[in-house]
Amino acid sequence: MRVIVEADGGSRGNPGPAGYGAVVLDPDGETVLAERAESLGVASNNVAEYRGLIAGLEAALEMGADEVAVRMDSKLVVEQMSGRWQVKHPDMRPLARRASGLVAQLRYVTFEWIPRERNTRADRLANLAMDRAAGRAPSAPAAVKAPRGVPSRATSAELGARVVAAGGHGPDPDPYRVQADPGLLRELGAAVASLLPPGTELLAGVAAGGLPLVTALAAATGTPARFVLPSAEEPVAGGPVDGRRTVLVTDVVRTGATALVAASRLRAAGAVVADAVCLVDAEQDGAEALTEAGVRLWPLLLRSALAAVD
């Protein structure tokens, strides 16, 4: 299996708030097979670039690729991984070794430098990750396309104002009151659809707050839904999940504890869980806790943005 990996990373300050993005493409260079993005806190440009390469190679290996054409706009990483430049900086050496270990698992790998304007997919994901590292609202809808092409009929700012008005508690809205409004719930389902990563096969609503949203999201996208329940007898209801790429769906993420339990139950049932979507990230370290467990969080709204709503 041959794929193309486009990777990028950056830092606003060098070192500063950093993040990376990586995209795995079909050999046609257009069809997206996988995407990876992560905030790194404070790091340098080169560290972020290497992390992007590593994430892209890992994603390619996960899908069974044995031939990879790597494209990056980092001359340093391309030349070092091609063996033409030495890896001198101590921060780069363990990353280069890690990348080389992944390369060794592949039958054939090439590294090609490309100009930044040809690396827009990975660059956009890296900027999303840097936004999160800098504490700014992510632009996930622009970075991750809905698999069914479902558009949001309202901007995030407009939806945020409506969520605050319906929720009744300012920047900490009551998610049940928000989702009890059928018109607003329909709008939210369409908006959250734009956060779903390509290749999503199942949507798994986290009981109880994520169940209305997952139903609206399934109706908006045509993607089958499952329901993660507190019952030990039937922790995942609605049908089998084995081997399918499943996105967690919930309402508000605070510490991430509930979503982590749901991810664990889905994985125990055989699902592939690497992403979660939510209405509101309360910015209480839940996203970081999920990332440590291998789950990327894609929020529609941030609490800090809701706090700015008049």
Side-chain angles (χ1 to χ4, degrees), residues 5 7 22 24 50-63 65 68 70 81 98-103 106 109 111:
V5 169
V24 182
Y50 259 109
R51 289 291 301 273
L53 169 63
I54 289 166
L57 292 173
E58 288 176 339
L61 284 165
E62 286 171 10
M63 61 182 57
V68 177
V70 177
M81 290 304 300
R98 183 174 170 188
S100 296
L102 296 169
V103 167
L106 296 160
V109 182
F111 290 90

Side-chain angles (χ1 to χ4, degrees), residues 1 8 63 81 83 89 106 109 114-115 128 141 144-145 172 176 183 193 238 262 290:
M1 178 182 177
D8 197 13
M63 61 182 57
M81 290 304 300
H89 197 287
L106 296 160
V109 182
I114 57 175
L128 168 65
V144 184
K145 296 179 181 178
D172 300 300
Y176 293 107
L290 286 165

Side-chain angles (χ1 to χ4, degrees), residues 41-123:
V42 176
S44 70
N45 281 328
N46 295 149
V47 165
E49 289 163 346
Y50 259 109
R51 289 291 301 273
L53 169 63
I54 289 166
L57 292 173
E58 288 176 339
L61 284 165
E62 286 171 10
M63 61 182 57
D66 61 352
E67 294 186 21
V68 177
V70 177
R71 300 174 179 172
M72 299 183 69
D73 60 51
S74 170
K75 187 76 169 176
L76 176 82
V77 174
V78 167
E79 293 298 318
Q80 288 181 343
M81 290 304 300
S82 299
R84 290 185 288 269
W85 291 3
Q86 291 184 348
V87 183
K88 297 181 178 180
H89 197 287
D91 290 346
M92 300 301 110
R93 288 172 184 160
L95 295 171
R97 285 195 297 270
R98 183 174 170 188
S100 296
L102 296 169
V103 167
Q105 299 177 50
L106 296 160
R107 188 170 64 85
Y108 184 72
V109 182
T110 61
F111 290 90
E112 177 188 1
W113 177 86
I114 57 175
R116 185 174 181 180
E117 56 267 23
R118 288 180 53 198
N119 200 26
T120 55
R121 298 180 186 91
D123 177 74

Side-chain angles (χ1 to χ4, degrees), residues 206-278:
V206 180
L211 301 190
L213 180 61
V214 76
T215 303
L217 189 55
T221 63
T223 306
R226 299 292 186 264
F227 308 95
V228 186
L229 307 174
S231 167
E233 291 78 15
E234 190 178 21
V236 181
V241 298
D242 48 307
R244 289 183 244 187
R245 185 172 181 182
T246 305
V247 175
L248 279 175
V249 181
T250 190
D251 52 359
V252 180
V253 171
R254 295 182 177 87
T255 65
T258 302
L260 286 169
V261 170
S264 177
R265 288 179 172 174
L266 284 165
R267 286 168 171 169
V272 177
V273 183
D275 298 275
V277 295
C278 69

